[in-house]
Amino acid sequence: MSKNRGKLILIEGLDRTGKSTQCELLRQQFGESTTLLKFPDRSTAIGQQINQYLTDPSYKLPDQAVHLLFSANRWERNDYIRNKLLMGDNVIMDRYVYSGVAYSAAKGIEGMDLEWCYSCDRGLVRPDLTLFLVNHESNDTREGFGEERYENNSFQEKVREQFYKLFEKLDSQNDLVIVDVTGCTIDQVSKKIWTIVQDTKQIPSTTFKLFE
Ligand code: TMP
């Protein structure tokens, strides 16, 4: 009988929905042999350029180039992710392709439509399960919110629209779950997530789904 590979779980959502907290809790619940990756991965050379773009409003770069940097930042981790999964590790990701497409398409730049934004991510390994956290209550009082590019309410609304458009485009595989976190405590959200994650079926090794 072939050995199962690890599970690839993605937590997505707009800013301030508690993604990073839930990723960390999920990592603890999975226990040993779990890898947590956050995108953008600011530790690489490409990631550092992205970080500069996000934190320095005077840093100028064409929107197309920024988009390709975010995508390249995922590609440079693709083999690492596949190898971890093959070794039997579970891999949790905090943002990935969906954020990449939704934030760029939300800019409304001519020629940078959803399809254009998605095209450079085709071929990346696709998560076995994607959880999209939604909070219907606006809560922009979080300390530090507004310090980086994209952190304002009107832009976040546009990003939300693009997320839903992308879900319609990519929903054929039944691997996307919308988790309503409105009014929930951290613990309640964590329990919801754990229940859904446990229902994800085991995947035989060497089988990967890709973004097509
Ligand atoms: P973070 O706040 O989760 O570190 O993400 C940084 C910002 O980058 C956030 O506003 C979302 C945005 N983003 C993109 O625009 N494209 C991407 O591909 C990713 C992963 C994030």
Side-chain angles (χ1 to χ4, degrees), residues 162-181:
Q162 296 299 328
F163 264 123
Y164 284 114
K165 280 192 188 163
L166 186 60
F167 294 158
E168 272 177 37
K169 180 180 162 65
L170 299 180
D171 78 348
S172 59
Q173 302 217 11
N174 238 350
D175 56 10
L176 183 75
V177 180
I178 295 184
V179 182
D180 188 351
V181 303

Side-chain angles (χ1 to χ4, degrees), residues 10 15 29 36 47 51 54 58 63-64 80-81 83 91 97 116 122 124 140 160 166 168 170 187 195 197-198:
L10 165 62
D15 295 55
Q29 274 166 312
L36 173 53
N51 182 57
L54 289 171
S58 69
D63 291 292
Q64 292 85 349
Y80 175 80
I81 292 169
N83 288 335
V91 178
V97 169
W116 187 92
R122 287 183 197 276
L124 284 170
D140 54 7
R160 183 198 302 271
L166 186 60
E168 272 177 37
L170 299 180
D187 194 42
T195 305
V197 166
Q198 281 177 311

